[in-house]
Amino acid sequence: MKSRWDESVAQTLNGDLLKLRVYSSRLLGQESDLVLHGGGNTSVKATVKNFFGDDEAVLYVKGSGWDLSTIAAPGFAPVRLEVLQRLAALEQLTDSEMVTQQRAAMLDPNAPNPSVEAILHAIIPYAFVDHTHADAVVTLTNTPTGAEQIGQVYGDSVLLIPYVMPGFILARKIRALTQGIDWSQYKGMVLMNHGIFTFADDAHTAYETMIELVSLAEASLAQHNAVSFATAAPQADWLTLAKIRQQVSRVKGAPMLAQLDQRPEAVGFSNLPNVAAIATRGPITPDHVIRTKAIPVVVDRDPEAAVNAFAENYRQYFERHTDGQLTQLDAAPRWAVWPGYGTLSFDRSIKATAIITDIIEHTRRAIQIGEALGGWQALGEKDLFEMEYWELEQAKLGKAKAASEFQGKIALVTGAASGIGKACAETLHQQGTAVVGFDVNPDVAEILNKPGLVGVQGDVTDEAAVKGAIAAAIQHFGGLDIVVSNAGIFPLGQTLENLDADIWEKSLAINLTSQRALLRHAIPFLRHGIDPTILFIASRNVLAPGPGAAAYSVAKAGLTQLARIAALELAPEIRVNVLHPDCVYDTGIWTPAVLAGRAERYGISVDDYKSRNLLKQPVSSREVAQLVCTMASRVFAKTTGAQVPIDGGSDRVI
Ligand code: NAI
């Protein structure tokens, strides 16, 4: 591991302790082999003037919810050092008492909750304390001869602490073990199955010592580099993936995304003959359990059976360890080994799923190196359970806002680069849905380009392209729950005696015939979706056709009939409904020329034409999208085969 310290940057901080603390914390945070997503913590002891101008010794310690890679000064909670040191000397302190006392001892009540390791940082007699979960160090300890391995790498230069639960118990234990020792003879402290601390009176030394100690562990592991790479990733069976994700969601009781990792290391790991045995021995460090659960599901048989067996084992694990007071968490796995194909991560948002993918990337590597070192051996089940059901860790997750029902859902929207389709894709995405937007417009990938919102280019009349867009939804997000069939064209108005064959054919091809392939390829995946639904964007023209619009109205009428048949065929599994918009002028169909032409045909002004409905108001594409969301939601759970107008009211329809 290379040092990222840049003395020219450090010089600009003019010796300001908190600024230096921020600087070196971020350097640690940039190294994913040291800390991942909120893992690790750092502190600095400083003397500050309180409100009355008196000097006070404080510990600035990483606040809960902050990530070392992005931490800023407000991310450090200033806590009175003396209070923390007195807490360390207590015989007993519950987690909630610890949180209360730490908060009460903060100089700034608006600062975040101090890290649960604050008391431990306070008793280390150096200004700068750095703590990481360095993969290399923890991997050495996660083996049958972990303590010996650490001894071989570091000799007597580090303190070795057996595993105990992080928080007050760990601080108290370290306080007891270090009474009367000469700290200056140690470069750092290794916590079995947990991580490493380094310390110094200046930021640079504490940081460089971390890099030095971790590099020694990495060098020792380099002799055992046994990580398996696959040269090629096999084409995954998308239907099986959708089934896995459906069953995980069912066990969770809410829609989950599934992210397939098919990078060479992931496939290589999944190909190992003993993968089922080694993958299920436990995580690198216990704090990963909060996100990943202790072990993955191995999908080496029927997905439903594999996920159900995982859930049953999880319930038994809970029963083995609960004290009778705890409430069981959901029994759904958070990651899977899919033998031959790679690994999978499950969570309700793109962000949380990606965090699990990152953690698993490190876990796969550590497990294989641990095996080569004599056998991967994670912390015991009881300790992992205590971490998973730790009141404080649970509280961290509990702070998340109640999720929207669209969180974890997956949608395909056709014609998503413009107008109503774009509004549908964006609105569904804002609600939490992962969306693939399909459009013939070559710019669609740039137009829809956010985490969880992907543009795929193609023509709805090209069956292979439609199949590819559906596969993209499974490949990116793990399944398909919502299809919004919106792509459409509004051909040039022509009376029947002038109607060109190519205009007629094109309208039918795009507005109607393309729906066959879409349905044919989407239905098998929707059958393995969560509360699956199809929404067709037809038109007010179906119920109130206009002269000169035969090619359009006939196609949309055919589409409506198709939707009614789909509702009959697909019940009770899949709901199918139709929207009939009109007067949606903020879209590509309604160019100024089209509007002017229409107004002229009716002999009225453009403004009058725009307000020709009963409510005298145009409809926005956003309003159509909101109705689409409502019809995709539980509000419409008991409705299928319906046709809902959104047209400002039409006397011809009423
Ligand atoms: P728009 O022109 O803004 O959006 C249509 C989108 O579909 C465009 O991004 C276009 O590139 C895409 N598209 C066209 N042909 C395609 C193909 N062959 N393959 C893939 N993508 C294709 O128009 P707007 O108004 O948003 O239309 C969306 C749907 O709403 C259409 O089905 C239209 O018939 C329907 N509609 C619109 C009304 C309105 O007042 N704007 C009223 C009634 C229905």
Side-chain angles (χ1 to χ4, degrees):
M1 183 168 289
K2 289 218 161 36
S3 167
R4 293 172 184 260
W5 188 273
D6 183 341
E7 189 54 30
S8 63
V9 176
Q11 285 297 327
T12 64
L13 305 177
N14 295 325
D16 182 302
L17 294 180
L18 189 53
K19 285 185 181 159
L20 282 159
R21 181 63 288 176
V22 170
Y23 173 61
S24 71
S25 300
R26 285 185 173 201
L27 298 185
L28 295 170
Q30 282 164 35
E31 207 69 65
S32 67
D33 289 346
L34 288 180
V35 287
L36 273 176
H37 302 292
N41 41 59
T42 56
S43 68
V44 61
K45 300 179 184 76
T47 302
V48 297
K49 293 255 183 264
N50 67 17
F51 184 70
F52 302 101
D54 305 327
D55 281 345
E56 284 213 60
V58 299
L59 178 82
Y60 283 103
V61 64
K62 190 191 103 162
S64 172
W66 284 78
D67 191 297
L68 286 185
S69 64
T70 51
I71 199 161
F76 286 94
V79 196
R80 289 187 181 86
L81 190 58
E82 190 206 339
V83 174
L84 291 171
Q85 287 166 343
R86 287 186 67 183
L87 290 175
L90 293 174
E91 279 298 310
Q92 274 188 331
L93 186 67
T94 66
D95 293 335
S96 47
E97 284 168 347
M98 179 177 82
V99 170
T100 307
Q101 293 309 316
Q102 288 184 170
R103 277 208 74 80
M106 295 199 316
L107 257 56
D108 175 1
N110 298 319
N113 267 338
S115 157
V116 294
E117 314 277 31
I119 300 176
L120 172 51
H121 281 253
I123 60 169
I124 297 176
Y126 288 93
F128 285 85
V129 176
D130 295 8
H131 168 46
T132 72
H133 300 152
D135 284 357
V137 177
V138 189
T139 300
L140 284 171
T141 72
N142 282 351
T143 58
T145 54
E148 278 166 46
Q149 309 264 5
I150 293 294
Q152 277 166 23
V153 175
Y154 298 122
D156 293 334
S157 66
V158 299
L159 274 160
L160 186 61
I161 311 289
Y163 180 83
V164 280
M165 178 88 173
F168 170 71
I169 308 173
L170 175 61
R172 192 168 174 276
K173 170 129 193 156
I174 290 178
R175 185 175 176 276
L177 289 173
T178 56
Q179 285 296 312
I181 68 153
D182 175 7
W183 281 84
S184 69
Q185 46 174 319
Y186 297 108
K187 288 185 160 182
M189 184 163 67
V190 170
L191 277 50
M192 292 292 289
N193 313 96
H194 176 166
I196 178 166
F197 279 77
T198 56
F199 30 76
D201 280 330
D202 66 283
H204 192 185
T205 309
Y207 172 77
E208 293 294 352
T209 309
M210 178 65 74
I211 302 301
E212 180 198 330
L213 294 184
V214 173
S215 299
L216 286 172
E218 285 180 340
S220 158
L221 294 183
Q223 313 153 35
H224 303 282
N225 204 342
V227 178
S228 175
F229 290 84
T231 44
Q235 168 70 55
D237 168 9
W238 300 132
L239 203 56
T240 303
L241 176 49
K243 288 181 190 172
I244 297 171
R245 177 255 174 186
Q246 182 189 39
Q247 198 53 29
V248 169
S249 303
R250 282 179 175 164
V251 173
K252 167 82 180 167
M256 299 278 265
L257 302 174
Q259 188 176 65
L260 173 62
D261 190 345
Q262 287 212 296
R263 287 175 292 178
E265 262 189 68
V267 180
F269 181 71
S270 78
N271 278 335
L272 294 172
N274 61 345
V275 68
I278 61 175
T280 52
R281 288 195 203 140
I284 308 183
T285 96
D287 71 329
H288 289 170
V289 165
I290 308 300
R291 292 191 181 275
T292 62
K293 292 218 152 116
I295 57 171
V297 57
V298 180
V299 192
D300 52 4
R301 53 184 141 156
D302 167 58
E304 197 177 321
V307 175
N308 287 345
F310 176 95
E312 184 47 38
N313 286 339
Y314 185 83
R315 288 181 201 110
Q316 289 172 12
Y317 150 83
F318 178 77
E319 288 307 326
R320 275 198 294 283
H321 300 292
T322 179
D323 60 2
Q325 308 294 314
L326 298 166
T327 309
Q328 193 209 291
L329 301 171
D330 73 81
R334 295 298 187 271
W335 72 286
V337 176
W338 191 9
Y341 292 103
T343 55
L344 291 159
S345 311
F346 311 110
D347 213 314
R348 299 202 62 194
S349 72
I350 292 288
K351 195 173 162 202
T353 310
I355 288 176
I356 295 174
T357 301
D358 281 351
I359 293 175
I360 298 318
E361 180 185 348
H362 289 258
T363 309
R364 289 188 308 247
R365 211 173 295 159
I367 287 175
Q368 291 173 80
I369 299 171
E371 269 301 281
L373 277 175
W376 175 256
Q377 183 184 291
L379 202 58
E381 186 180 277
K382 175 95 180 112
D383 286 316
L384 292 175
F385 179 86
E386 277 177 13
M387 194 70 179
E388 188 177 356
Y389 281 86
W390 191 18
E391 181 194 331
L392 295 181
E393 285 296 342
Q394 292 300 302
K396 265 193 212 169
L397 299 181
K399 279 185 199 136
K401 283 186 290 181
S404 117
E405 70 173 281
F406 288 98
Q407 197 77 55
K409 286 243 175 164
I410 303 157
L412 173 72
V413 180
T414 68
S418 165
I420 294 171
K422 181 165 179 273
C424 287
E426 288 173 347
T427 310
L428 283 164
H429 180 253
Q430 280 156 12
Q431 306 267 338
T433 312
V435 182
V436 168
F438 182 63
D439 203 292
V440 74
N441 184 333
D443 297 332
V444 66
E446 281 106 86
I447 294 169
L448 306 174
N449 181 15
K450 285 186 182 160
L453 181 59
V454 178
V456 173
Q457 202 256 330
D459 193 317
V460 285
T461 60
D462 174 352
E463 185 157 355
V466 169
K467 226 177 140 181
I470 294 165
I474 322 299
Q475 184 176 10
H476 287 289
F477 308 124
L480 187 62
D481 308 313
I482 302 168
V483 170
V484 182
S485 177
N486 160 82
I489 52 161
F490 189 68
L492 185 72
Q494 286 179 326
T495 55
L496 290 172
E497 59 194 328
N498 297 312
L499 184 51
D500 291 336
D502 55 344
I503 296 222
W504 170 263
E505 294 297 343
K506 193 172 175 195
S507 175
L508 262 86
I510 295 175
N511 291 329
L512 177 58
T513 308
S514 67
Q515 310 287 344
R516 182 203 60 83
L518 178 66
L519 287 174
R520 178 173 182 158
H521 297 295
I523 289 169
F525 291 101
L526 288 169
R527 287 195 195 279
H528 295 287
I530 301 299
D531 184 24
T533 188
I534 307 173
L535 294 156
F536 288 100
I537 307 295
S539 170
R540 187 266 308 163
N541 269 31
V542 172
L543 303 166
Y552 183 71
S553 300
V554 169
K556 290 289 189 181
L559 165 62
T560 306
Q561 193 72 345
L562 182 72
R564 297 172 72 201
I565 292 163
L568 292 171
E569 282 189 13
L570 301 178
E573 293 168 273
I574 305 170
R575 291 183 289 120
V576 183
N577 291 296
V578 181
L579 287 88
H580 290 314
D582 192 22
C583 307
V584 189
Y585 301 112
D586 60 346
T587 76
I589 281 184
W590 288 103
T591 59
V594 171
L595 260 175
R598 283 309 194 79
E600 199 184 321
R601 180 177 307 160
Y602 288 93
I604 52 177
S605 70
V606 166
D607 279 347
D608 285 346
Y609 183 78
K610 277 183 156 185
S611 55
R612 77 203 138 86
N613 57 32
L614 290 173
L615 298 176
K616 303 279 174 227
Q617 287 188 49
V619 177
S620 70
S621 47
R622 174 87 184 169
E623 285 162 338
V624 179
Q626 279 162 342
L627 180 59
V628 162
C629 283
T630 305
M631 289 173 73
S633 79
R634 300 301 304 161
V635 176
F636 271 67
K638 307 289 166 67
T639 304
T640 194
Q643 299 173 45
V644 181
I646 173 157
D647 56 6
S650 164
D651 51 359
R652 293 183 54 214
V653 174
I654 291 169

